[in-house]
């Protein structure tokens, strides 16, 4: 059995994200694997709570969301000692982008939360179950309790 070499942390900056991040970091340390972190700026933004209350809604906010996400990602990366070239931001559907990036970057383990219910996610189904279904690598869904 091959040890994990390339671990991807998918972070949504939710209240539970730190727990998921700690699990990914612990696994990366144990396996001496490379750790990367991905945040997907949803192309259907429905709430500003993730990025803070300062974002105006009467302009194209994608660029501002990316800038805010970069700052948040940099903090996580600093804490987990992830180099800048392994901090990734994509725009699109989180479910699809996590699977696409994992395949493109030869990831062998995706670590994400089992849920972080917010907004339309409640109606559209969980990111974790979709990623587990479609990813070509192992997926660890860290159990998150409300
Ligand atoms: P959800 O299905 O939205 O409750 O999210 C479950 C988990 O998927 C979260 O705990 C994150 O690990 C991951 N995730 C959700 N949204 C994103 C996102 N926009 N970017 C990266 N990871 C995400």
């Amino acid at each position: 059995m091959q040890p994990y070499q390339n671990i991807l942390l998918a972070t949504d900056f939710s209240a539970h994200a730190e727990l998921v991040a700690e699990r990914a970091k612990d696994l990366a340390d144990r396996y001496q694997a490379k750790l990367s972190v991905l945040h997907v700026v949803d192309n259907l933004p429905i709430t500003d709570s993730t990025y803070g209350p300062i974002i105006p809604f009467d302009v194209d906010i994608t660029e501002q969301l990316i800038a805010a996400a970069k700052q948040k990602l940099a903090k996580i990366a600093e804490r987990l000692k992830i180099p800048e070239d392994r901090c990734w931001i994509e725009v699109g559907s989180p479910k699809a982008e996590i699977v696409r990036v994992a395949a493109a970057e030869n990831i062998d383990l995706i670590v994400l939360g089992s849920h972080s219910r917010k907004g339309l996610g409640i109606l559209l189904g969980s990111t974790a179950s979709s990623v587990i279904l479609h990813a070509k690598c192992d997926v660890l869904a860290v159990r998150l309790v409300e």
Side-chain angles (χ1 to χ4, degrees):
M1 190 178 63
Q2 279 277 10
Y4 294 118
Q5 293 179 318
N6 255 324
I7 298 178
L8 176 65
L9 163 65
T11 186
D12 60 358
F13 307 138
S14 68
H16 297 295
E18 200 168 319
L19 184 66
V20 181
E22 292 307 320
R23 179 65 72 193
K25 173 70 174 158
D26 180 60
L27 285 168
D29 287 349
R30 284 170 196 263
Y31 282 98
Q32 298 188 322
K34 276 190 268 181
L35 180 60
S36 307
V37 61
L38 168 68
H39 176 75
V40 183
V41 175
D42 208 316
N43 51 9
L44 255 187
I46 45 149
T47 171
D48 67 341
S49 64
T50 304
Y51 306 100
I54 46 152
I55 296 165
F57 285 96
D58 57 345
V59 293
D60 178 5
I61 60 170
T62 304
E63 288 306 316
Q64 285 147 293
L65 292 177
I66 291 171
K70 272 185 186 158
Q71 286 186 8
K72 293 208 171 223
L73 210 57
K75 283 192 186 145
I76 293 174
E78 191 183 354
R79 208 175 58 242
L80 302 185
K81 298 191 170 52
I82 300 175
E84 210 179 319
D85 64 342
R86 299 212 144 265
C87 297
W88 303 323
I89 293 179
E90 300 293 341
V91 178
S93 150
K95 295 172 187 175
E97 286 303 301
I98 293 168
V99 171
R100 185 188 66 74
V101 169
E105 299 289 341
N106 290 318
I107 295 297
D108 45 25
L109 176 67
I110 300 168
V111 180
L112 41 55
S114 60
H115 72 88
S116 71
R117 290 277 160 264
K118 57 186 185 304
L120 273 184
I122 295 165
L123 302 175
L124 297 178
S126 104
T127 306
S129 40
S130 178
V131 170
I132 288 168
L133 205 62
H134 295 106
K136 298 282 181 257
C137 63
D138 289 1
V139 180
L140 175 66
V142 178
R143 173 75 50 207
L144 301 174
V145 182
E146 288 290 319

